[in-house]
Amino acid sequence: MKSVIILLGAAMLTLTGCSKYKEIRPTSFKLESVSVQGLRAMDIEMAVGVNNPAGQLTISDFSGEVEHSGKVLGNVTVHPLVLHAKSVETYSITADMTLGDGASLLDLGKLLDKKTLEECTVDLQAVVKIGKKAPKPLKFEDIPVKKLMDLVKK
């Protein structure tokens, strides 16, 4: 779970296009709470440290889905957030996660295995606003999770 959230965030921040924005990095992660909502959903609260050497970045409509062997295992929607300019801060982030159609809790449990997680791909979309510029929708498909894990390690 932690890996999925960090990977979604790292991918969106790294792939925004502006060179200074590519330097934005997660610095810490703490899962604050997980609240199960029935058998197919959960609310997640986390504290994520971010080093942002660039300008203010507003992220909204941020969502993604994790796929393995052509099957959607889960969908994650992250509540809107603002990364303050030239800062190193810890942000309280809330996300909602639901199982994909036809996926079970056992399928989602497969993500705990690093090898299986590395075989997954993610589709991401968000609306990103850099400073006072107009918001820009971003969409990325079939990103190998292994590639995103390598980005987080840097």
Side-chain angles (χ1 to χ4, degrees), residues 64-146:
E65 63 182 30
V66 180
E67 298 176 22
H68 184 262
S69 300
K71 183 178 190 178
V72 176
L73 297 182
N75 301 292
V76 178
T77 303
V78 179
H79 295 204
L81 66 135
V82 176
L83 301 180
H84 300 114
K86 298 179 182 167
S87 65
V88 178
E89 293 186 38
T90 300
Y91 296 90
S92 179
I93 298 175
T94 305
D96 305 316
M97 184 169 192
T98 58
L99 291 175
D101 292 336
S104 69
L105 288 174
L106 291 175
D107 291 324
L108 200 55
K110 292 177 186 177
L111 296 178
L112 298 176
D113 176 54
K114 184 178 178 182
K115 183 178 181 202
T116 302
L117 184 61
E118 288 179 346
E119 294 171 352
C120 291
T121 60
V122 293
D123 295 342
L124 302 171
Q125 60 186 21
V127 175
V128 177
K129 182 178 179 194
I130 297 173
K132 295 183 180 184
K133 295 180 182 177
K136 177 182 176 183
L138 299 174
K139 186 173 185 176
F140 306 97
E141 296 180 339
D142 298 322
I143 302 168
V145 168
K146 180 158 180 31

